[in-house]
Each structure stands twice: as structure tokens, then as C-alpha cells.
Amino acid sequence: MTGTATSLAQPLSPDELAGIDAYWRACNYLAAGMIYLRANPLLREPLAIEHIKQRLLGHWGASPGLAFTYVHANRLIRQHDLNAIFIAGPGHGAPGVLAPVYLEGSFSEVYPDISEDEEGLTRLFRHFSFPGGFGSHCTPELPGSIHEGGELGYSLSHAFGAAFDNPDLVVVATVGDGEAETGPLATAWHSNKFLHPIRDGAVLPVLQLNGYKINNPALLARIPRDELEQLMFGYGWTPFFVEGDDPAIMHQQMAAAMDECLSLIREYQQSARSSGIASRPRWPMIVLRSPKGWTGPAEVNGHRVEGSWRAHQVPLGDVQGNPESFAQLEAWLRSYRPQELFDDRGRLRDDLRQLAPQGKRRMGSNPHANGGLLKRDLRLPDFRSYAVPVAEPGHGRAMNTRPLGAMLRDTMARNMGNFRVFGPDETTSNKLDAIYEVSGKLWLAERRPEDDDGGELDPDGRVLEMLSEHTLEGWLEGYVLTGRHGFFATYEAFAHVIDSMYNQHAKWLDICESLPWRAPIASINLLITSTVWRQDHNGFTHQDPGFIDIVVNKSPAVTRVYLPPDANCLLSTADHCLRSHNDINVIVCDKQNHLQYLDMESAIRHCTKGIGIWDWASTDQGREPDLVMAGCGDIATQEALAATALLLEQFPDLRVRFVNVVDLFRIAPAEEHPHGLSDRDFDSLFTMDRPVIFNFHGYPWLIHRLAYRRHNHRNLHVRGYKEKGSINTPMELAIENNVDRFSLAIDAIDRVPRLQASGAHAKEALRNRQIDCRQYAHVHGVDMPEVSGWNWPGLRKS
Amino acid sequence: MTGTATSLAQPLSPDELAGIDAYWRACNYLAAGMIYLRANPLLREPLAIEHIKQRLLGHWGASPGLAFTYVHANRLIRQHDLNAIFIAGPGHGAPGVLAPVYLEGSFSEVYPDISEDEEGLTRLFRHFSFPGGFGSHCTPELPGSIHEGGELGYSLSHAFGAAFDNPDLVVVATVGDGEAETGPLATAWHSNKFLHPIRDGAVLPVLQLNGYKINNPALLARIPRDELEQLMFGYGWTPFFVEGDDPAIMHQQMAAAMDECLSLIREYQQSARSSGIASRPRWPMIVLRSPKGWTGPAEVNGHRVEGSWRAHQVPLGDVQGNPESFAQLEAWLRSYRPQELFDDRGRLRDDLRQLAPQGKRRMGSNPHANGGLLKRDLRLPDFRSYAVPVAEPGHGRAMNTRPLGAMLRDTMARNMGNFRVFGPDETTSNKLDAIYEVSGKLWLAERRPEDDDGGELDPDGRVLEMLSEHTLEGWLEGYVLTGRHGFFATYEAFAHVIDSMYNQHAKWLDICESLPWRAPIASINLLITSTVWRQDHNGFTHQDPGFIDIVVNKSPAVTRVYLPPDANCLLSTADHCLRSHNDINVIVCDKQNHLQYLDMESAIRHCTKGIGIWDWASTDQGREPDLVMAGCGDIATQEALAATALLLEQFPDLRVRFVNVVDLFRIAPAEEHPHGLSDRDFDSLFTMDRPVIFNFHGYPWLIHRLAYRRHNHRNLHVRGYKEKGSINTPMELAIENNVDRFSLAIDAIDRVPRLQASGAHAKEALRNRQIDCRQYAHVHGVDMPEVSGWNWPGLRKS
């Protein structure tokens, strides 16, 4: 059970040892060179000040450990013809990954300018951490990277996402010991409970215990070793320790540990695959305890650097001004003996080149790390076949997400191994449980008899549920980045848990759009449900429609937000999203029973436009209206329609134009977002000068932020959520925030000139009905039946 | 080392056992009653349909385990006169906490209407989960709560925050097994590395292993027991297991476990306190493995409910329509034998009342859970004494955050035990390291010799650094909620990690504002630094100024955002924030070397107004200007000033009014935010019709969202970050996003009518200088020296 001490194993012959160490020295040399040199890249001349960069930037500390892990993974790949990719948790140690990716030739294939010779090497050094060049993290520009590591915490969840449904793949996932302190990483260790030994690949975590963060020791490096061992056991892993600083000993230990880990992985996989029985073994992992800034300057100006937080970035900072430091730098660089490592042209010596895998087996060239290359389009069922029948708008009810559940079920059935559904313990609560008819929730842990009674647990399920939005989003991203497709449904308020992950993925995709060699990947599809307007149970803490405020901040090239008003629009939207690529699609739609408006053909037409006039709810008949009433979002649309009906009850000759918005970015100017309407189209919907009452699902100012440049913005009156809530009934909550039918109708009367004079009586009546509604809710704890739905006298049929 | 099995211990006498069980039955009865009953609260009549609520809402599943823990904590408090508070991680089990808080009398003291008699009981039941009443989480309305548990994940970090600097306090922190899957909770177990056994209190975690979430088993309930034990050991705890479902046995086990835990806590504390040597013991914790919905219906309609996910909310849902369920409900409620528990008036039997602690020892009445009662104002040094001398605006440079570090140092020195500083491994990087002169970073783990060389580790330090923004924010909230003060500095982009925590705390504070019995607590003070505009090292992933977009969505009663342009303004702002209460103060200010503008007296005047004209940078001399140039944020202000200087170079008679904004909410209308300017004041600054170039630190649309109702909004041209970035030099990044001096000057020429004709040549010259800057950066990797600073010819002295 315990990971055995491997200090006695000597798997490397002296030649192999010399070779792997030379390769690693080449990596370390390049990593240091990237930080310091702009010329004389092979030190063929004595080092001079003019060879040194003006500004020294880069992260040295994590680099040697990353390169060490990379070269040992290379050995394993070669020996076993392994299909492996590399994830750099401490992505700010990019020099330690750039170096071996360059040395194996992957880099020059993508960037022919950075050739494998002295000139290319000079360019590599110069472009590193230099404006217009390569960043100091494992950015999208780095071949072989699916994980930038700019923000910390997601290396393991990304790694597992990559391993799912890739039975031959081994994901070597380095985890920084700083990163290991983050919440997302701390719970991602539990991902091993969701790894299927038959149909999934393996994740081999290598905890980079170099001991220090920016200025502090790392927690896990300073707890007793037995505690760390127990922690890893407790997480369900078998840890192997590789500890020390003498490269000769460390290479033997690491090679032995890697051999043992791979052999355990293969043993577990084969045992499950031959028996057909999936269970959870205690998968192996490696704790690599080596000095931060390993092989770098031991001491600088009397301060310890190697094996200290001082090695985090640039270990020798004053080389331009301090001759002693300058000499120390040259000695350090020469300690790697570059003259022994590179040939005359400046290319890695041929015998060393042989130590890297070839072709697509190189981790910098493995197509799994450029997932678009492997992406197969989803085989989608006809979404029309799940349509909710709508004979007349606004008369029937349905749970908006239920038909989507059936569509996802059939999507799952047609794309086993290429599609996954993710949810934080809420798939049933979100009414998507039809999926379980074809694939239950993956569960490899202990089973109990009662699980068979509706538990939907399934050792072969492909629905992943864990109460960690971080882990789910990380899995989904890893899955999609390696060329597959996914769907994640989550509670609206707690989508904020992954705000920062959304930001990082949006930035990743935005950069990818400018990299022609990165093939497009499937979009991230996020269904935001259990929305703000139905929280009579959970109350104020569960009311937060602000995730889309975060979404709209990112690049228009990759951001999409949809608010389908009913089930058929949701189906049409979901179909579109599942076919899209390189986007982040956020769909906001509540799970409860709601009025249905559009039959499927109307829904398709409407969603294709993304915004449109609903003739059956309008009375302007093509003329200039007195008022534009707009709804965006399911509840917002319902109340806007009810308000329209109330107005027409009182003022039958009022000319109302009813507009519904599905695609939020239609509101934005065409110059700001590819989905934005031209001013002309916008004006033709919203007029140049008529009052517009816009009822919005989210915070009202988001609409102003999108629409402030529109001609008729001064007449745009937006209602939305404004943080007035408790355990209210739905109507009460709407009233508190003025998105209810009564408030909207009063708003309209106040703004339509020809109603202002005669409207006092109507407003009084509306206010009284509003008060009645409130009182009814406070007495009965539920809404008055007559306002829970609406029949629409005065509104025509479509 | 191991938590011993406690199954043989029988600490409770038969009488004690009977008493504690009766008390617990009373709790469970009330919890069920809250969910079901609106009348006949003591079942003195046969149960009838009209006694049942129309809508059944509430979370039963977690309630019995919470109440069980609460009553056993009560026993401990009484026995040892313990000073303890209770944190309900699974806050949605509120009935299980409301019940004992009511039974001990704390509830009725705050809400005299909910009296301790049959009438009060009826009100309690009716008001639970009913509009206008008490929520189904441990909301601020619940006396004794400092943790709502609406969002999951923060119970342990809140608990530790409460325990810091409260040496006598024991925080009983229940952790849900669903919650335990979240990232923030998974890493918060490591908080024990930061608990000082001499000056801090104790946290006693009780993991509520009831086995199920909403629809799924909990992960930790389905891993082998040895794995769970090792996990807790690995986290550094000594776990005690209390497992079973027979109340008689479980009471004995729980009492024994509680006794042992308290005795270990006291032993560790006394040993440290008598020796004066602080180290980290393996603190005890309890794993309470009991059935979900314990004592509730075992089976309903053929489905297992007790001990299953089906017990999560309302175990019997169809009691109104199904006579069998109705009978089952009555039998279940009567199984608690309410007639034995309550006296004639409907009050808990006197002998049972004795089992609760008295007065402030009751966990519902402990002042630590209403921290404002204990809050002592900070003794602040005179912030003026840290002033950066500014002889002439814009000529000197300083790191904006350095003087703040000195001020925080002296604040710390004067308020030891009442003030803490938090940071994710970045206090030095953020230039606040002066703090270490009086208090290092708390470090109780292993020490190494090199730590003494600038490591600033200190077993008695009060600066808390861990690479988990979640844990830090949770600690800070817990610390402040229990009446102390704190300051948290973090990287701007990764403030998004705690978006959701911010949302939850803002909602908590907003509710507290309406609860007169909750005394005001200190504000949360967040310094957002390492901002978007200085990321030449870390690049695109570290560029995200959107945290303030999240902030402004929450209630104006509690949200404050400040963007001081220089060091003296930062000092003045920080002083204000440290004196404020019940707010969340977000201060955005970069840590790098920046130009300084205002001497201290000017800074105080300026920050007091929050917005103002800088005469020395203006040439309108009280007349109507040609142009208003505005800056908000340090870099934004610098570039706006430089643009003004460039314009005046070309057009010496141009009338420019220069406005600087420190308090972001000044831009909002007075009706929308208490800091909002009246329209009249706004107009007097920004005019009714002149072009305004507004250079903003963050995403530009945030200004539009705040200002869209202002008269001159149509002439408001905002520049800000728009997701154009890489590892650019500062000037290059500014140019990419058009916030640079050249772009702003061109913007101005385009908008000032009298410049449009003559401006073509000037624009050409500006564009050329912009190109030169870009090229210089691409060649040298640094900005041209002449644009890194600015001397301001043409700008007058102040």
C-alpha cells in the first residue's frame, strides 16, 4: 500500500545517467539563458555586459524541478512508447518547460524562426519575457501546453479532464507546493474518485516540493513527512518520495519512482480492463522534494539562494552593476558546460536528441495538447424533436430545462466517450435527470443497497457530480482542451465561485484565436439555472445574477450570453452552443415550471435573430409605437408580458411593441461585439424616441453598460435585480425589485405622454393590486393563484 | 496520537443521558415543527390538515446532527463554564440550530414576540421559511450566528478567524460533508498551522458525516475509514469518531469524545501557556457519522428516507393529500413525546432548561457572535506622519504602498490582539513589509536556519500569509465578525477568487444594517494591488481590474470603492477605512514606483471630497472649460495629466479642467449611493455640454454604468482596460488599451470643436510619438525614459 522508498533502486546505467543529466543540464542552461542573455547564447565568447538583457525577468525557482520532471517523463515515453502530456502547475516556471519543448524540436516546428541553431537560440532567449515574445508562464503560445498556470490551483483538475475518456493517455501533472495551498487544488486531489481505470487514462501527479513560494516556505514542505504521507494516503493516493539535491542520486530515484508508478498504473489498468470491473485503486503519485532554484547560485551576496525563496525569480539581480555578480553569473552558466551539450551549429548534440521521444510522442507535439486537432463534432439529435407543444403563447407551462435534459440524454447516448455532463450535485435538482437514462453518475467508491433506489450511481456513468464548482469547471476545461465536448449546469449565484476560472479560460481562448496552429476546440457550455427569481426556499444568499457581468468584461471574440425565455428557445440555443467552438456560452434559464411562448419553428426563427418583436404581444402593427416593452430572461419576459396585458386592459388603443432578447450581445453596438446589432437595426426595434421599458433578468445597469451609445438610450428605462430579497415568494421578490407586472405598467404610464394625464386612476388600481399580492403572500406563504400565471386577454395569438 | 475509540466510555449518568436526550428530542421536535406546523404546535390536539403549512419548506436532513452537536456543546459549556460559539457549516440545516437557540431563551430575548410559550412557539413555526420570517439558513437574523452557511465552504476559515486572539474561546465548527468537498473547505483544514496555542482560542471541528448531499452520497462518507482517518491526520488533526444511530449509545460516545477533545485542547493550551513556547499540536476534531435525517421517518412510500439523500429537505412531502403520509407525520412528531418536554404554558420543562448554559454563556447570546458588542476602535497613529513630501505635483516618485506599510506597522503595534494583516504570500511583494518590524509572519511549523535571514517568520507573528485567498478572506471575516479589525492586501486579478465570498459577506452586512440588535462591526478592508497596468512580468493572466465590477453590484449601504492616485491619498483613504464600520472598503492602488501629486494637506482635502478639480493641472481658471480631462486610478491619472500637458504644449490657450476621482461612487447619482454626487455638483464639475475625457483604471463601461443618468453623459468619453494585453511594457500596455497620453490627447482634439480644424498636424505628431514609444519598447524591452515619467511644463504648481 505504501509507496516504497526507492533510494536503493538504480535503474539507470552509467551512460543513461550521464545522458539524462546532460539533457537536464541543457534545459537548465536554456532556462537561465532565457532570463539573462540576449546574445552569445552558447557562451562561445567570454560573457560581456552587452550579452545581458537590459531588464531581467522570469521565474527561475520552479524551472529546474519542472525540467527534471519533463526529462524523466521523456525517458518513460521513449521506453514504453507512452502517449503522455505534461501539465505545469507552477506555470510561472515556464523556462523549465520552454527549454525541453525547444530541445525536442516541437518549438521550432511551430515557430520556424526559433530554429534549432545558434540564431534560433538567440531568438528564443531574446523573445522570452520580452514585449511581443513569449511569456513567463506556460501560455497558449507554448506548444504542448493546455494549462497556463498563471493563476494557480487548477493543474490537477485540468489533468483529470484531459485523462477522462482517453484510456491510453498518461497526464504528468506537476503541482506546485504553493499551488497546493489553494482551495481548488486541495480538493482536486479527490478527482481520483472519478477516474475510471478502464475507459479513462491515468494522471501521475508530481508534487514539486521545492519548499518555497514568493517569500514564504510552502506549508506542505514544513509538515512532518509522516503527515504529508498520510495526507496523500488520505486523499487516496500512494505517494513515492524522491528527495535530495545530488543530481546523480536524484536521477536514479526519479527514474525508479517513475518506473514504479507507471508499472502500478499499468497493473491497475490491466487488472480492471481484463476483468471488466472498475474500481478505485490507490493510484501512485510522486513527491519530488528538491531545492528551489536547484543547480542555481547557492549563495548571493551572503544570502542563501538555492533552496530558498530568494530563488523564486531572478537569482542574481545586479549582474549589470556588480562585477562579482557578473562573474558569478558566468560561472553559473558555464557550470552546465554548454560546449559539451550543443554542436557547432548550436543544436543539441545528436546523441542527446535521441533521448527525447519522436514525432507526436513529444509532449510539445502531442495532439492531445492541441485538442482541436482531435476534435470530432458532436453527433447531435434533432433538437426539434424535444419541442414543447405551444398552441397559443403564454397558455401552457413546462419546466424549461426538462426537454433539454432529454436532448442531453440523447446527445450523451450518441457521443459516449466524446461528451460529458458536469454538475455540483444538482443535475436532478436542475431537472436534467433524463440524462441518467443513458448514463448515471460515475461512482467508484463504496456502494450501499439503498443506492439502487434512485441513487443513479453507476460505476460506468459519465455524469460527473461533486460539490466543487472549481473541480467541475477544471475537469470540463481539461476535457474540452483535449478535443472533447461538455455541458456544465450550475446554480446561478454560485457560478461566481468560478469567476476567476472563467476569466482565465476566456483569456486563454482569446489568445488561441490569434494562433493559427491551435485548432479550434469545443466551446465551454455553462447553463446557469436555479436563478435569482426563484429563491423562496434559499433566500438572499442564493440571489445573484452577476456572473454575466463578469462574462461581458472579456474579449468579444469568445464571450456569448443567452437568456432563452422558454423551453423551445432553450433547446434551440443549446443546439447552437453545442455546435460552436472556441467560445464560452453562458445560458441563463430557470429550471422551474414556466409559461411557454414560442412553438419550435417560432423559437428557431427567434433564436436565430437573437432579438425580435413578438407580434402576438404587440399592438403597434408596424406603426411607430407609443411604448416599447422589452423582456430579457424567462421571468423578466413573463412579467413584461403581463404588464403589457395589464396596460392593454386599461388602454385598449395603446400601441405597444413587445421585444424579446435572447442573445444579450445583440444590445451591444456592432463595433463592440460580433453579435451586436447595427444602430439601424437597433433603432428599428427600439425606435429613436419612444419610451422603452426593459425588464431584465440580471442587474439592470448591465443593459445600460451595453446600450449607452444607442440613439434612444435616454428613453431606455431598465428594471432588474437590485439586491432586495429574502425568502420571498416569486411575486413578492419581483415587486421588491420592481420587475413585477404592476411596477412595469406604472413605469409605462409614467413615461408615455398620452397616458400621463389619464393614468392616475390606473396607477392607483395597479398599486392596490400590488399591495394585495404582497399581503396575500404574507398571509398564505404562496402567491395569489391569479398572478402565478397569466392568461393574456388583449394579446393576440401568434 | 490517534484519536482513541470512545465506545467504552460512559460519561453520562442515566439521568444525564435521559436529560440530554430529552433536550435533543425537543430540538428535533421543533425542527420538524418549523417545517410542518402552523398551528397546534405542541400537538395538544390531534393533528389536523389545517395545522399543516400550505407550502412545506426547510432542510430537515442536516438538522438533527446539528442539534445533537449543539446540545453536547451545551453540556461542555455548563460543565466547564466554557466560552464557546457555534458555527453551522451546513447552514441550510437552520432548524437544527434555531431550535436550541430558541430553547435556551436567546431567541426570545431578541425577538420578544417569539416568546417561550405556546403562542411564541406558534409564531416561530409560522415564521420559519415564510415570507417576512426566518430563513432556512443560519442568517444574520439568527442570534448566535456569524456564518450563514448559504454558500458552502467557509465554516472552518470563519471559525479560525473567530478563534484568533481570543484565547478563552472555543469555536465549535460543524462542517457539512457536502461542504467538505469544496475547495475552500478542503484547504481550510490547514488553518491549524496558524493557530497559536497561547494567544488564540481553539477550534473544534465536528465533521457532520451524515453521508448525503442533495442527491448524492458525500465523498468522505464513502471512502474507507482508514483513508478518512489518514486524511485528517495528514491535515494535522487527531480525529475522534462518533458513529452510529442509537441515540443512547451515541450520546455516551459524543459526550466522551467532547470530553476528550476539550481535555486535549486544555492540555495543549496549558502546556504552551505555562512554558511560553508556542508550537502546533495535533488538535482534536470529531467525525460524527450519523444518519441524514436522523430520528425522522425511516421509510416513506417504500423509499428509505432516514440515512438517505431523500431526507435532505422535507421528508414527507405529500402530507396534505395522502392520509397515510399524514398519519406518518403525526406519528413521527409524536415520537418526540412533546407532552413530556414542554410545560403547560408551552415552555421547555424547567429541569431541561437547566441543561442549557446561562446568560452570555448561551451560544445564541455569546457576545463574540455579535462582535460589534465587543469591538474596540483601533488606536490609529496619525496617518499624516507617514506623508511623502510633495513639493511640486508630479515631480517626485514613491512606491504608493510603502508609507501605508509603515502606517499598518504602527497600527499593528498599537493594537496587538485587535488587528491583523492578511496576504497570500505577497506582503513583501506588495511593499508592505514594514509591518514585519513589529510582527512577523506567524509560523509554527518547522524552522530552518535560513529562515533567520530575512524570512520574517515568527512564532508570535500576527501577519497571516497562506497561498489561499479563500482562507485569508474567511479568516478576516471571522476575525471581524467577532469584533476585531483587519486588512487584506491581494493581487488585483486574483481578487476574483473571492468574488463569491465578497457577495456573501456584502449580503450579510446589508441584512445586519436592518437588525438594531446587531452592533456594527469593523469594515472589511481590501487593498487591491499589483494592478492590471503593471504586468510586464506576469502578462495577460494577471490583468483583470473587474473585481470592482462585482463590488458595485451589491447594496450601496455597504459598498465602497476608492482609487487613490498617490501615496498621500492612499494614507488618507486607509485611515478613513480603518475607522469605518459595516462596510466593505475596496482600495485600488498599485505598489510600484509612481509619480506623487498631492502633499498631505491637499490629499486630505481631496480625499474628503472624494472627487475634485486639480487647479494646478487646469487652465480653465473658473471659466467654462473647452474640455474636462478626468483621471481615476494612479496610472490613469498619470496618463491623463501627461495628455493634458501634451495638449497644452500644442494649444497653450486651451481651457482644460482636470478632475481626479478617488471615491468611485461619487460618479453615481445621489439617489443610488450615499456617496453619490447630486446632479448639481456633478454638473458643476463635468459641465452640461463640454467634452469629457475620462481615463479610468478599470473596464471603461463601469463608468458608463454609474454615470448614464448624468446630464452630460452623452459627452462622456471613457477609456479603460479592454482586454488587450500581453507581457507588454507599461506604456505599450497603455497604448494597446488607449489609456495612454497620446491616445487621450488625440481623443481630446477629436472632441473639442475649436481644435478639430487645426488639430490634424498635432494628431499626426502624437501618433508618431506613440509609434516611437512602441518601437522603443520592442527593441529595448523597457519604456523610453522620457515617457516613464513626466515633467509637466505648462501645468502650474498647486
Side-chain angles (χ1 to χ4, degrees), chain A residues 262-298:
Chain A
L262 184 66
S263 124
L264 276 178
I265 287 170
R266 289 300 186 230
E267 185 188 319
Y268 296 147
Q269 287 178 335
Q270 275 154 23
S271 137
R273 289 169 193 189
S274 58
S275 68
I277 298 168
S279 62
R280 173 174 67 87
R282 288 183 188 257
W283 297 101
M285 60 82 64
I286 292 174
V287 178
L288 173 62
R289 193 192 293 267
S290 64
K292 185 148 190 164
W294 195 11
T295 73

Side-chain angles (χ1 to χ4, degrees), chain A residues 7-280:
Chain A
S7 52
L8 296 177
Q10 302 277 330
L12 303 173
S13 71
D15 275 2
E16 285 171 327
L17 175 61
I20 206 163
D21 188 61
Y23 203 106
W24 181 50
R25 276 190 284 123
C27 293
N28 291 338
Y29 176 76
L30 292 197
M34 281 181 240
I35 297 173
Y36 285 97
L37 300 181
R38 55 175 166 146
N40 189 17
L42 290 166
L43 294 185
R44 289 190 173 150
E45 303 166 42
L47 189 64
I49 285 288
E50 61 267 25
H51 302 147
I52 309 286
K53 293 186 179 185
Q54 273 191 280
R55 189 156 178 224
L56 303 176
L57 289 177
H59 294 89
W60 165 250
S63 298
L66 286 168
F68 185 79
T69 308
Y70 198 104
V71 299
H72 278 272
N74 274 351
R75 170 181 165 270
L76 220 60
I77 294 169
R78 272 201 317 122
Q79 266 187 0
H80 301 272
D81 189 30
L82 216 61
N83 185 8
I85 60 172
F86 188 85
I87 286 187
H92 44 285
V97 186
L98 275 158
V101 171
Y102 170 81
L103 291 173
E104 75 191 18
S106 297
F107 209 83
S108 307
E109 283 174 23
V110 172
Y111 305 106
D113 254 21
I114 316 284
S115 47
E116 294 185 76
D117 51 24
E118 190 162 350
E119 202 185 321
L121 206 51
T122 309
R123 283 213 192 86
L124 174 68
F125 286 5
R126 282 192 181 169
H127 281 64
F128 173 76
S129 238
F130 197 85
F134 305 106
S136 184
H137 301 141
C138 294
T139 64
E141 288 92 342
L142 174 60
S145 174
I146 61 163
H147 172 88
E148 175 153 354
E151 185 181 350
L152 302 175
Y154 315 123
S155 57
L156 271 184
S157 56
H158 281 167
F160 276 88
F164 293 148
D165 293 316
N166 267 329
D168 297 327
L169 192 67
V170 175
V171 184
V172 179
T174 63
V175 177
D177 53 6
E179 177 178 31
E181 293 176 18
T182 68
L185 200 290
T187 200
W189 292 109
H190 288 300
S191 302
N192 53 13
K193 279 98 195 168
F194 297 88
L195 191 79
H196 195 282
I198 299 176
R199 61 174 194 216
D200 296 336
V203 173
L204 176 57
V206 182
L207 178 61
Q208 308 274 307
L209 211 62
N210 68 32
Y212 293 91
K213 297 171 285 185
I214 304 181
N215 285 117
N216 277 293
L219 277 187
L220 296 188
R222 297 284 182 104
I223 60 175
R225 171 156 159 182
D226 68 324
E227 247 176 63
L228 180 59
E229 202 167 5
Q230 283 163 332
L231 185 63
M232 288 299 135
F233 279 133
Y235 275 127
W237 296 90
T238 302
F240 290 81
F241 285 80
V242 175
E243 302 172 291
D245 57 7
D246 180 336
I249 299 171
M250 291 290 278
H251 283 302
Q252 292 287 7
Q253 276 195 45
M254 187 69 171
M258 284 268 194
D259 286 348
E260 289 187 57
C261 289
L262 184 66
S263 124
L264 276 178
I265 287 170
R266 289 300 186 230
E267 185 188 319
Y268 296 147
Q269 287 178 335
Q270 275 154 23
S271 137
R273 289 169 193 189
S274 58
S275 68
I277 298 168
S279 62
R280 173 174 67 87

Side-chain angles (χ1 to χ4, degrees), chain B residues 331-406:
Chain B
W332 168 29
L333 292 175
R334 290 199 187 279
S335 75
Y336 298 114
R337 308 195 296 281
Q339 71 283 4
E340 297 176 13
L341 304 171
F342 296 90
D343 67 17
D344 289 348
R345 286 186 301 156
R347 198 169 102 135
L348 187 67
R349 234 168 55 197
D350 264 344
D351 60 321
L352 295 178
R353 292 177 62 80
Q354 301 307 316
L355 299 179
Q358 302 301 310
K360 291 184 178 173
R361 288 302 195 219
R362 293 171 299 175
M363 292 191 288
S365 296
N366 190 310
H368 290 285
N370 185 1
L373 296 176
L374 303 175
K375 180 166 84 81
R376 287 171 290 128
D377 286 345
L378 283 176
R379 302 190 308 153
L380 287 167
D382 183 355
F383 67 96
R384 294 170 190 82
S385 61
Y386 310 96
V388 170
V390 178
E392 200 175 342
H395 280 70
R397 287 183 164 271
M399 289 177 175
N400 286 339
T401 50
R402 272 233 180 282
L404 175 65

Side-chain angles (χ1 to χ4, degrees), chain B residues 466-636:
Chain B
M466 175 180 173
L467 212 163
S468 166
E469 288 87 352
H470 290 115
T471 309
L472 296 165
E473 173 67 15
W475 289 344
L476 171 57
E477 288 174 5
Y479 197 68
V480 162
L481 285 160
T482 48
R484 283 79 60 77
H485 305 259
F487 195 92
F488 180 10
T490 194
Y491 273 37
E492 185 177 56
F494 304 124
H496 279 297
V497 170
I498 54 165
D499 279 359
S500 207
M501 298 184 79
Y502 162 80
N503 287 338
Q504 295 297 315
H505 191 70
K507 282 175 180 279
W508 175 279
L509 287 178
D510 188 30
I511 299 294
C512 289
E513 297 263 302
S514 63
L515 300 173
W517 60 271
R518 283 236 178 232
I521 57 172
S523 300
I524 292 286
N525 299 304
L526 268 176
L527 174 67
I528 304 291
T529 184
S530 291
T531 59
V532 49
W533 300 110
R534 288 294 177 272
Q535 296 299 342
D536 31 351
H537 195 178
N538 286 311
F540 197 34
T541 58
H542 286 51
Q543 293 165 5
D544 195 310
F547 183 69
I548 53 181
D549 292 75
I550 285 288
V551 173
V552 295
N553 277 343
K554 289 291 164 291
S555 167
V558 302
T559 48
R560 305 288 181 265
V561 180
Y562 303 98
L563 298 105
D566 67 5
N568 290 337
C569 289
L570 175 59
L571 288 167
S572 173
T573 301
D575 180 74
H576 169 78
C577 293
L578 290 169
R579 293 174 193 277
S580 70
H581 54 73
N582 269 20
D583 289 335
I584 302 180
N585 299 309
V586 178
I587 309 172
V588 183
C589 196
D590 192 59
K591 65 187 183 182
Q592 308 278 12
N593 223 11
H594 291 291
L595 291 173
Q596 301 299 312
Y597 309 109
L598 303 188
D599 61 38
M600 186 46 93
E601 289 313 311
S602 310
I604 295 171
R605 277 196 307 275
H606 184 53
C607 294
T608 305
K609 287 190 295 175
I611 187 170
I613 297 171
W614 281 1
D615 284 331
W616 54 271
S618 303
T619 54
D620 60 330
Q621 285 143 323
R623 291 170 304 168
E624 198 68 353
D626 296 313
L627 166 77
V628 179
M629 180 71 78
C632 179
D634 39 26
I635 313 281

Side-chain angles (χ1 to χ4, degrees), chain A residues 446-465:
Chain A
E446 188 200 340
R447 298 287 299 265
R448 305 226 175 118
E450 61 268 27
D451 293 339
D452 294 332
D453 175 26
E456 311 292 0
L457 304 183
D458 181 353
D460 296 321
R462 274 192 170 80
V463 179
L464 297 179
E465 303 197 14

Side-chain angles (χ1 to χ4, degrees), chain A residues 654-675:
Chain A
L654 186 71
R655 292 203 302 272
V656 183
R657 176 180 297 168
F658 193 91
V659 173
N660 180 268
V661 182
V662 178
D663 180 347
L664 183 66
F665 279 114
R666 287 290 191 233
I667 306 293
E671 313 79 54
E672 302 267 312
H673 194 283
H675 288 200

